[in-house]
Amino acid sequence: MPVINRLAEFHDEITAWRRDFHENPEILYETHRTAARVAELLGEFGIDDVTTGIGQTGVVGVIKGKNGGEGKTIALRADMDALPLTEITGKEWASKTDGAMHACGHDGHTAMLLGTAKYLAETRNFDGTVVLIFQPAEEGGAGAKAMMDDGLMDRWNIEEVYGLHNMPGMPVGEFAIRSGPLMAATDEFEITINGLGGHAAQPHQTVDPIVVGSQIVTGFQSIVSRNRKPLDSAVISVTVFEAGSAFNIIPETATLRGTVRTLSTETRELCEVRIKKMVESICEAHGATADINYMKNYPVCSNHAAPTAFAAKIAAEVAGGEDKVNTEIEPSMGGEDFAYYLEDRPGAFIFAGNGDTAKLHNPAYDFNDELIPYGCSYFIKLVETAMPASA
Ligand code: NI
């Protein structure tokens, strides 16, 4: 049996929660209203325990199975934060806040995990414990890490962790996953080149940071083409180059900023080492110096083999056929802070089709409510299959 029938009765209610979250988006760690509503609903469902304030505004819920919770503990995660964008969908439930909108569908992820919680609290057709993770700040704030720093994994004895993200362009009812690297590590750099300013007509009396910076930008291209293993992807993009103020002045400094995306720890380290070495060497060759701020952000989001195979099997049941689950989707060079959980515990992150909608992070995007029964069924079946009730 694919989608769980009982969810049809919940569909309108879950949709209403989703649209309420959508209308009231909150960015990064500011998910106060959303977290309060999540905690309130979890309380109404009569789950065993609700803790707020984990990782600032994160919420953790616990549901114990028929046997009182003995045995395995599996965590399911939803993200709650919105993006700093102004919505243009014109929908009835469009964001009421200028400069904030749910353009990544985290409103849908949160509502689907709530629907899952309601069903599991009512049926408890499993042995063991389910931990529900509602996290803030997925969009660049490392909310996952903040919750882990507050003891998430050990405090709730989490043994495995699963997450889901909607994917525009893939039909509703289909899934995609892969074992190993799924999403890239997302590091950033800011480099200030300190030269010597002066008159543009007397360049020999200056150290021109624009020329030095240009060579650095060019040099970076050879890290990806000549140092990286060809089959291990990497992207280095310089996205900001700031220098100068007038046509006749050679400036004192130039600033370069950019991002580094990699799919393995090895290549991630390589890029950092080569970038620093190249900046220092090029600056030295020209008599300039550099201040390098290299920021390591999200690690590689890498699915574990056995949980991935298990997740794909559950997805195929929900979708009604193995042909509806792509188990070899190409990795994405975008980032996802679910990576932190997967560095610490076995688990898997899966994509679920959002249908023919606008792309993620686009102001015309909206989560597709038709995905709700599939997302909830995936989580519920995953729990009931991984921890079957003995009686
Ligand atoms: Ni997202």
Side-chain angles (χ1 to χ4, degrees):
M1 177 189 72
V3 168
I4 296 168
N5 285 333
R6 180 90 174 85
L7 286 167
E9 291 166 44
F10 291 176
H11 199 164
D12 288 350
E13 191 179 13
I14 299 170
T15 301
W17 301 332
R18 201 286 288 182
R19 292 180 183 180
D20 172 64
F21 293 136
H22 192 91
E23 240 184 304
N24 298 280
E26 296 169 302
I27 290 165
L28 287 168
Y29 287 96
E30 297 303 315
T31 54
H32 301 284
R33 182 190 181 277
T34 309
R37 182 73 181 128
V38 164
E40 182 188 318
L41 285 166
L42 293 177
E44 283 175 21
F45 305 156
I47 73 167
D48 296 280
D49 186 53
V50 181
T51 308
T52 57
I54 303 299
Q56 297 186 41
T57 39
V59 181
V60 180
V62 176
I63 308 174
K64 291 178 179 169
K66 271 207 172 81
N67 68 339
E70 289 302 309
K72 205 169 178 175
T73 300
I74 286 184
L76 308 173
R77 172 272 211 167
D79 36 16
M80 301 188 288
D81 58 318
L83 282 158
L85 272 175
T86 295
E87 180 162 354
I88 59 165
T89 66
K91 296 213 169 139
E92 208 179 303
W93 53 89
S95 168
K96 291 194 290 197
T97 312
D98 269 357
M101 81 170 278
H102 273 292
C104 203
H106 298 184
D107 49 344
H109 303 161
T110 298
M112 289 194 293
L113 192 55
L114 284 168
T116 301
K118 179 167 169 148
Y119 181 93
L120 291 175
E122 193 179 289
T123 54
R124 311 225 181 206
N125 192 24
F126 63 97
D127 281 358
T129 299
V130 174
V131 175
L132 309 156
I133 304 170
F134 294 89
Q135 73 152 83
E138 193 288 317
E139 300 288 358
K145 184 168 186 304
M147 290 189 78
M148 287 171 69
D149 288 346
D150 276 354
L152 177 66
M153 292 301 182
D154 291 334
R155 192 167 154 190
W156 281 276
N157 300 309
I158 292 167
E159 289 167 70
E160 281 177 33
V161 59
Y162 292 87
L164 175 153
H165 205 294
N166 77 93
M167 183 175 265
M170 183 162 64
V172 171
E174 294 192 13
F175 293 85
I177 193 167
R178 81 188 298 273
S179 186
L182 181 70
M183 309 275 284
T186 59
D187 297 333
E188 282 170 52
F189 56 82
E190 182 172 81
I191 298 156
T192 305
I193 301 152
N194 306 299
L196 178 64
H199 201 295
Q202 272 101 38
H204 60 293
Q205 292 170 350
T206 72
V207 175
D208 187 344
I210 294 178
V211 171
V212 178
S214 302
Q215 290 190 12
I216 289 172
V217 174
T218 308
F220 283 177
Q221 311 310 311
S222 71
I223 297 175
V224 171
S225 71
R226 304 288 82 176
N227 299 140
R228 171 204 51 128
K229 255 202 307 210
L231 293 178
D232 189 4
S233 287
V235 176
I236 301 177
S237 292
V238 177
T239 53
V240 175
F241 191 146
E242 281 173 351
S245 58
F247 78 95
N248 57 357
I249 302 169
I250 290 170
E252 282 276 301
T253 64
T255 303
L256 304 179
R257 288 169 60 194
T259 186
V260 180
R261 305 294 173 107
T262 50
L263 289 173
S264 75
T265 309
E266 193 190 349
T267 298
R268 189 185 191 194
E269 301 303 327
L270 172 92
C271 287
E272 181 182 2
V273 169
R274 292 295 300 144
I275 282 173
K276 287 179 175 168
K277 183 78 185 159
M278 197 165 274
V279 170
E280 280 158 12
S281 307
I282 291 173
C283 283
E284 198 198 346
H286 292 85
T289 61
D291 299 315
I292 306 170
N293 184 9
Y294 199 92
M295 293 151 276
K296 292 197 128 173
N297 293 340
Y298 298 174
V300 181
C301 184
S302 194
N303 275 337
H304 296 240
T308 301
F310 178 66
K313 190 188 95 155
I314 300 296
E317 270 180 46
V318 172
E322 280 177 16
D323 57 323
K324 303 262 175 55
V325 183
N326 176 0
T327 54
E328 285 172 19
I329 190 174
E330 263 184 19
S332 152
M333 297 314 273
E336 164 62 56
D337 82 349
F338 198 80
Y340 289 104
Y341 303 127
L342 293 180
E343 272 195 332
D344 212 58
R345 293 292 193 274
F349 194 68
I350 198 165
F351 296 115
N354 199 54
D356 187 20
T357 63
K359 297 294 178 200
L360 300 174
H361 293 213
N362 182 289
Y365 169 87
D366 189 28
F367 178 83
N368 188 341
D369 292 312
E370 294 310 309
L371 160 53
I372 288 171
Y374 293 95
C376 293
S377 296
Y378 168 75
F379 279 138
I380 292 163
K381 279 180 188 259
L382 194 151
V383 167
E384 292 180 347
T385 311
M387 307 189 290
S390 49

